[in-house]
Amino acid sequence: MRKIIINDDNIKLDNGVFFGQGAFETILCGKNPYFLGFHINRLKKALEVLEMEPLIEEKEIVEYINKLNIRDKVLKITVTDKNIILTTRENPYTEEIYEQGFSLKISDVLRNSTSILPKIKSTNYIENILEKRNANKEGYDDVVFFNEKGHLCESSVSNIFCIRDEKIYTPDCSNGLLNGTVREWIIRSFNVIECDITLKDLKNMKEVFVTNSLIGIMKIKSIGELQFNTHVITKNISNKYKEHISSKDGGQRIYDEQREDN
């Protein structure tokens, strides 16, 4: 049985500390945690991939979450061999940031489409952090990765979607990327084409946006030298997403059917 730790309590040293063998989920909370079922299920799968003990503490985690003051905050669950760490923080994304949109840099680092790491949320996350920091130093909001085949993958913390001729495209998970919570919601809510997207394809896109559990949906105004000045469909998708998470269940519904690539 793992020790459940709240915020700044002491952790037990294990392979999560020494080798990055651990998994985490970051969850946006309104009145309740959004999509909690999806996050817990994805965490369980990550532990399987990392060949760790199953999450037998799921019931205890939910009980602790219900006791925490997490309204309108960000909840992070980190699981290692000996620890379950629950931490909370404020959501950094403001209306001003959404109004401005993001500018992305294309990373020189290539994703490995055969690696398990991009496909789960593991604590071995330093490459993403360093690439995002370097992009920030150059005036960008984030960085976007391609893989060794030249196919678009994701940003350091978000999934990416492109729109052309009123059709929505997103990189297939086989390219080496995480199936994000909001990504899955969009795929289930709209007609989305999961495919390989090259830089040449990207240049012909009309709109681009990124998604994750904290930002929801963020319009992209530029990727390197590419400019995207239209965000009509992106705004429509964003409005429907906000409507969904503000519904009675707060977006907490567990997806009844898991797609084969999840």
Side-chain angles (χ1 to χ4, degrees):
M1 193 80 171
R2 297 177 177 95
K3 178 184 179 183
I4 297 181
I5 298 162
I6 308 297
N7 289 319
D8 57 357
D9 199 358
N10 294 325
I11 68 170
K12 296 181 179 179
L13 297 179
D14 59 13
N15 285 342
V17 175
F18 296 122
F19 302 111
Q21 187 182 21
F24 73 94
E25 289 290 326
T26 307
I27 306 169
L28 181 64
C29 304
K31 294 180 181 179
N32 297 294
Y34 296 146
F35 302 111
L36 181 60
F38 183 91
H39 283 288
I40 294 292
N41 287 337
R42 190 170 63 180
L43 184 58
K44 289 179 179 178
K45 291 181 179 180
L47 297 182
E48 290 179 10
V49 171
L50 293 170
E51 299 183 355
M52 296 173 61
E53 291 295 322
L55 192 67
I56 61 173
E57 304 88 353
E58 178 181 350
K59 181 179 178 181
E60 287 77 10
I61 291 174
V62 174
E63 288 177 353
Y64 270 96
I65 290 173
N66 290 334
K67 295 177 183 177
L68 293 174
N69 180 19
I70 56 174
R71 186 184 178 107
D72 297 325
K73 290 188 177 181
V74 176
L75 170 68
K76 184 174 183 179
I77 306 173
T78 305
V79 179
T80 62
D81 286 333
K82 299 179 180 179
N83 305 286
I84 296 174
I85 307 166
L86 305 180
T87 55
T88 60
R89 66 179 191 269
E90 300 298 323
N91 187 353
Y93 298 105
T94 64
E95 286 301 320
E96 182 180 3
I97 294 175
Y98 287 101
E99 184 64 29
Q100 292 176 350
F102 275 4
S103 61
L104 307 180
K105 175 189 175 183
I106 297 176
S107 176
D108 293 327
V109 175
L110 299 180
R111 278 277 190 258
N112 181 353
S113 63
T114 67
S115 174
I116 64 169
L117 291 181
K119 300 171 186 177
I120 61 174
K121 298 200 78 168
S122 82
T123 53
N124 195 333
Y125 211 65
I126 191 61
E127 183 173 82
N128 293 48
I129 293 171
L130 291 178
E131 282 298 289
K132 188 174 190 296
R133 284 178 183 171
N134 290 333
N136 292 161
K137 290 176 184 177
E138 295 181 33
Y140 296 93
D141 296 288
D142 200 355
V143 65
V144 66
F145 296 99
F146 285 77
N147 66 16
E148 80 283 3
K149 300 175 183 178
H151 296 153
L152 182 65
C153 294
E154 59 187 354
S155 85
S156 70
V157 295
S158 307
N159 291 120
I160 190 165
F161 289 79
C162 309
I163 299 170
R164 182 181 64 210
D165 299 329
E166 298 188 352
K167 294 181 180 179
I168 307 170
Y169 299 86
T170 195
D172 191 271
C173 285
S174 63
N175 284 304
L177 56 112
L178 178 76
N179 182 39
T181 310
V182 184
R183 178 185 187 274
E184 180 69 12
W185 177 83
I186 291 175
I187 288 172
R188 287 174 175 271
S189 303
F190 299 89
N191 183 18
V192 178
I193 301 169
E194 299 176 81
C195 60
D196 299 335
I197 300 172
T198 65
L199 181 58
K200 182 179 179 180
D201 296 327
L202 190 58
K203 292 177 179 179
N204 293 320
M205 295 298 177
K206 189 78 170 178
E207 301 181 37
V208 178
F209 63 91
V210 294
T211 65
N212 69 30
S213 58
L214 297 193
I215 64 175
I217 296 166
M218 179 71 70
K219 66 182 181 184
I220 299 302
K221 59 184 180 182
S222 66
I223 300 178
E225 296 180 354
L226 303 178
Q227 300 292 319
F228 303 97
N229 300 315
T230 302
H231 311 287
V232 176
I233 296 177
T234 299
K235 186 174 181 180
N236 179 50
I237 295 172
S238 178
N239 288 338
K240 290 185 178 180
Y241 174 73
K242 292 175 182 177
E243 180 181 346
H244 176 75
I245 62 173
S246 65
S247 61
K248 185 177 180 180
D249 74 347
Q252 274 204 107
R253 289 194 298 273
I254 298 175
Y255 299 119
D256 295 327
E257 300 177 0
Q258 293 293 322
R259 297 188 303 132
E260 291 182 358
D261 59 353
N262 283 359

